[in-house]
């Protein structure tokens, strides 16, 4: 694979594709739209209504009755409903109760709940819960986006690790081949024994085997990475062999994940989307509890409508022409209502426990990650020193070999230790990057700069 044939896929570019086109990211946007739709549905409980009811009976050329009742209702917030009505009835056998003037009867009035439903009712509760659900949806969207970006980051880091391992095995395989050619020339010249060539060939085969295994691992990592790559119109993308990761990612990862310069002292739990989501859920349960508590009150529904034959209702108001009434209902034991209220209180208490647990879990997880990152600073320095020392040992052994004071066995041994140390360095880098991603995931951040 020639350098000029390769195309680097940077970490920021990759996450940009994930956030914009991945189906889970689009699904997260749907959560907001669902919240808006629920809010619209709840507001519909306060929409004005027009009702028209007409009944007619005719038998043997006799019109028994023809009743028309048209009503316009306007629900308001505190259990009060405004109503306008037009009624026109006629017929031979019309019930006297429905007798109205020939041109019809107009009425306008009000109905109200003075017990249950005055300060809170199902319409009011549904609207308040829908508003909280919309805000909860915004927080849940951040969590969904954050999780898919975290999962995608892990796949990128594994791809980078596999790529670096392949490059390492390729480099040392090339060294082994060059060394084998030199040994073969020395054997042909009689300067080295045939067994040295056998050992050199074994090293080449071992390096080749390691490279093949690393290539299989890289292929699997690339396929895993491809599951996160989509283009517009829901087209999945498969990583091609000439596409390579950014090997200098450690210089930019903090800026890409937007965790640069973010000390533990500046972190506030109150802004965490998980806790905000639970808080809005808690507020919704509080509305349920208020509604259940309101059910303990008696039902006291009253209505008053003044009547007139004149369509100009405002100029024909007469307190002596009216239709009104009231309805009172109250269960004697309130066992159902008291049971519902207790259940609502238990749900609130359960949610309080969940919020407390989530708060301490998030706090401790973030604290542990910060401590882990501090440890990685020391580990990275140690592994760099170890790799440097092994390189020094190998170079010294090769120099001794050139003077005839060493052997292929010792050189291969030194090189094997160097390979192991470099693979450990690659693995440590992978763990370090994943810990950075864990911090990003624990903070539940949404990348705004992508």
């Amino acid at each position: 694979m020639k350098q000029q044939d390769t195309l680097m896929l940077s970490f920021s570019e990759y996450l940009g594709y994930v956030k914009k086109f991945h189906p889970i990211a689009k699904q997260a946007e749907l959560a907001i739209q669902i919240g808006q739709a629920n809010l619209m549905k709840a507001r519909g409980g306060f929409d004005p209504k027009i009702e028209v009811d007409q009944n007619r009976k005719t038998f043997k050329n006799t019109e028994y009755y023809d009743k028309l009742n048209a009503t316009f209702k306007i629900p308001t917030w505190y259990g009060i409903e405004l109503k306008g009505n037009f009624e026109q009835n006629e017929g031979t056998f019309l019930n006297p109760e429905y007798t109205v003037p020939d041109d019809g009867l107009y009425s306008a009035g009000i109905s109200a709940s003075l017990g249950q439903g005055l300060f809170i009712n199902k319409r009011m509760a549904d609207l308040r819960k829908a508003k909280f659900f919309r805000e909860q949806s915004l927080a849940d969207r951040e969590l969904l986006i954050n999780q898919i970006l975290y999962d995608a980051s892990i796949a990128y880091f594994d791809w980078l690790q596999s790529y670096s391992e392949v490059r390492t095995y390729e480099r040392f395989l090339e060294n082994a081949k060059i060394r084998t050619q030199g040994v073969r020339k020395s054997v042909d010249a009689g300067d080295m024994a045939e067994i040295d060539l056998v050992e050199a060939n074994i090293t080449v085969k071992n390096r080749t085997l390691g490279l093949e295994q690393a290539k299989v691992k890289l292929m699997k990592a690339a396929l895993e990475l491809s599951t996160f790559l989509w283009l517009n119109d829901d087209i999945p993308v498969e990583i091609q062999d000439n596409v390579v990761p950014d090997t200098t990612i450690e210089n930019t990862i903090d800026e890409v994940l937007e965790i640069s310069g973010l000390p533990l002292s500046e972190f506030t739990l109150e802004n965490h989307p998980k806790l905000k989501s639970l808080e809005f859920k808690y507020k919704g349960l509080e509305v349920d509890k208020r509604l259940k508590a309101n059910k303990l009150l008696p039902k006291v529904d009253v209505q008053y409508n003044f009547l007139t034959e004149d369509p100009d209702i405002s100029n024909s108001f007469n307190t002596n022409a009216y239709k009104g009434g009231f309805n009172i209902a109250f269960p004697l034991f309130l066992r159902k209502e008291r049971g519902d209220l207790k259940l609502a209180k238990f749900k609130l208490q359960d949610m309080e426990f969940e919020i407390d647990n989530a708060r301490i879990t998030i706090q401790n997880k973030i604290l542990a990650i910060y401590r882990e990152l501090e440890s990685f600073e020391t580990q990275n320095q140690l592994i760099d020193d170890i790799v440097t020392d092994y390189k020094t040992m190998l170079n010294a052994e090769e120099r001794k070999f050139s003077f005839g004071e060493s052997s292929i066995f010792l050189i291969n041994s030194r090189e094997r230790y160097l390979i192991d140390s470099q693979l450990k360095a690659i693995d440590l880098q992978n763990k370090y990057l994943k810990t950075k991603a864990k911090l990003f995931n624990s903070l539940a951040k949404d990348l705004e700069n992508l």
Side-chain angles (χ1 to χ4, degrees):
M1 187 165 54
K2 297 181 180 179
Q3 187 66 29
Q4 60 266 27
D5 296 333
T6 61
L7 177 65
M8 186 187 74
L9 176 62
S10 69
F11 186 47
S12 61
E13 182 183 10
Y14 163 70
L15 290 186
Y17 280 117
V18 174
K19 183 176 180 180
K20 188 173 183 180
F21 298 118
H22 196 278
I24 299 298
K26 292 182 178 181
Q27 184 182 12
E29 298 298 330
L30 281 180
I32 299 178
Q33 298 178 31
I34 291 173
Q36 294 285 8
N38 277 323
L39 182 58
M40 180 184 296
K41 176 183 176 182
R43 283 173 173 164
F46 294 90
D47 288 346
K49 296 179 181 179
I50 295 178
E51 299 177 359
V52 178
D53 182 18
Q54 185 174 27
N55 290 300
R56 174 182 294 178
K57 180 179 179 181
T58 302
F59 183 66
K60 292 183 178 181
N61 297 324
T62 300
E63 184 179 59
Y64 277 58
Y65 57 80
D66 184 359
K67 298 185 293 185
L68 173 65
N69 194 315
T71 305
F72 179 66
K73 298 179 180 178
I74 304 177
T76 61
W77 185 250
Y78 286 109
I80 298 174
E81 186 174 75
L82 306 178
K83 181 170 67 173
N85 180 265
F86 172 73
E87 185 178 2
Q88 189 174 41
N89 306 317
E90 57 187 8
T92 304
F93 299 102
L94 186 69
N95 189 324
E97 179 183 355
Y98 295 110
T99 301
V100 296
D102 293 339
D103 292 333
L105 183 67
Y106 297 89
S107 67
I110 184 173
S111 63
S113 298
L114 302 182
Q116 285 187 28
L118 177 60
F119 295 109
I120 186 169
N121 54 42
K122 191 174 186 309
R123 280 196 310 244
M124 298 161 63
D126 287 345
L127 181 55
R128 286 175 177 171
K129 288 195 295 183
K131 290 180 178 179
F132 292 140
F133 181 75
R134 180 187 60 179
E135 298 301 319
Q136 182 184 345
S137 298
L138 292 173
D140 289 341
R141 170 195 171 276
E142 290 186 42
L143 293 174
L144 281 172
I145 292 291
N146 176 271
Q147 186 62 42
I148 191 61
L149 291 176
Y150 168 75
D151 293 339
S153 298
I154 298 301
Y156 188 93
F157 300 151
D158 287 339
W159 180 48
L160 172 61
Q161 179 183 15
S162 300
Y163 172 79
S164 299
E165 289 176 352
V166 168
R167 298 292 294 171
T168 299
Y169 278 111
E170 286 178 341
R171 186 166 60 253
F172 283 102
L173 174 59
E174 185 64 26
N175 290 345
K177 287 180 178 179
I178 294 173
R179 190 175 298 118
T180 300
Q181 292 174 359
V183 171
R184 180 177 288 109
K185 291 179 181 180
S186 297
V187 169
D188 293 340
D191 296 332
M192 297 184 69
E194 187 73 26
I195 194 65
D196 291 328
L197 181 59
V198 173
E199 184 174 348
N201 283 327
I202 290 175
T203 301
V204 171
K205 292 175 183 177
N206 279 329
R207 300 283 191 272
T208 305
L209 178 61
L211 176 60
E212 287 302 313
Q213 293 173 340
K215 284 182 177 179
V216 171
K217 184 179 176 182
L218 176 60
M219 178 268 295
K220 291 181 178 179
L223 288 176
E224 178 66 22
L225 185 81
S226 297
T227 62
F228 294 95
L229 275 179
W230 296 71
L231 291 180
N232 206 359
D233 300 324
D234 300 329
I235 301 174
V237 178
E238 184 174 337
I239 291 291
Q240 301 301 308
D241 293 339
N242 66 324
V243 179
V244 299
D246 181 9
T247 55
T248 62
I249 188 174
E250 287 189 35
N251 299 327
T252 58
I253 185 172
D254 285 358
E255 286 73 19
V256 174
L257 295 181
E258 298 178 12
I259 56 176
S260 178
L262 190 64
L264 182 60
S265 58
E266 293 185 7
F267 174 70
T268 54
L269 281 174
E270 288 71 19
N271 296 328
H272 198 282
K274 176 66 174 179
L275 293 178
K276 288 197 293 186
S277 176
L278 292 175
E279 289 290 347
F280 287 122
K281 188 176 180 180
Y282 180 86
K283 290 179 180 179
L285 292 176
E286 280 187 320
V287 174
D288 276 335
K289 191 198 78 169
R290 287 189 58 198
L291 184 61
K292 297 296 190 297
N294 187 258
K295 296 290 185 181
L296 298 177
L297 299 176
K299 287 184 178 180
V300 182
D301 298 329
V302 298
Q303 60 173 323
Y304 173 83
N305 301 274
F306 74 86
L307 308 175
T308 179
E309 301 178 51
D310 188 352
D312 189 1
I313 295 177
S314 60
N315 293 325
S316 59
F317 178 73
N318 185 349
T319 58
N320 293 324
Y322 70 90
K323 180 174 66 174
F326 66 89
N327 177 55
I328 298 177
F330 186 66
L332 293 180
F333 298 110
L334 293 171
R335 286 181 290 193
K336 178 181 181 301
E337 291 75 9
R338 287 187 287 117
D340 285 341
L341 180 58
K342 284 186 177 180
L343 289 174
K345 290 180 178 179
F346 289 147
K347 288 181 180 179
L348 272 175
Q349 193 174 19
D350 181 69
M351 183 54 60
E352 288 175 357
F353 292 147
E354 185 175 351
I355 291 174
D356 291 340
N357 180 67
R359 180 177 286 107
I360 194 66
T361 299
I362 293 171
Q363 179 177 316
N364 288 343
K365 186 176 181 180
I366 292 175
L367 179 62
I369 291 173
Y370 271 100
R371 297 293 180 263
E372 190 175 359
L373 287 174
E374 290 176 0
S375 174
F376 272 119
E377 299 293 333
T378 303
Q379 294 181 49
N380 286 330
Q381 184 60 52
L382 287 173
I383 196 66
D384 288 343
D385 292 343
I386 291 172
V387 170
T388 301
D389 290 343
Y390 275 126
K391 285 181 179 179
T392 301
M393 296 288 288
L394 176 60
N395 293 334
E397 202 65 47
E398 288 177 336
R399 182 172 178 81
K400 289 171 63 178
F401 180 77
S402 66
F403 294 145
E405 298 175 359
S406 184
S407 66
I408 290 295
F409 173 79
L410 289 176
I411 290 179
N412 289 337
S413 178
R414 301 291 189 195
E415 193 172 60
R416 189 161 53 249
Y417 284 122
L418 177 59
I419 294 173
D420 290 343
S421 65
Q422 290 195 346
L423 292 177
K424 286 181 180 178
I426 293 171
D427 182 63
L428 186 62
Q429 182 199 46
N430 179 265
K431 293 178 179 178
Y432 176 66
L433 296 176
K434 285 183 177 180
T435 305
K436 292 276 190 180
K438 281 165 58 180
L439 177 60
F440 162 76
N441 183 235
S442 298
L443 296 174
K445 295 177 65 65
D446 180 12
L447 301 182
E448 300 176 357
N449 297 328
L450 291 181

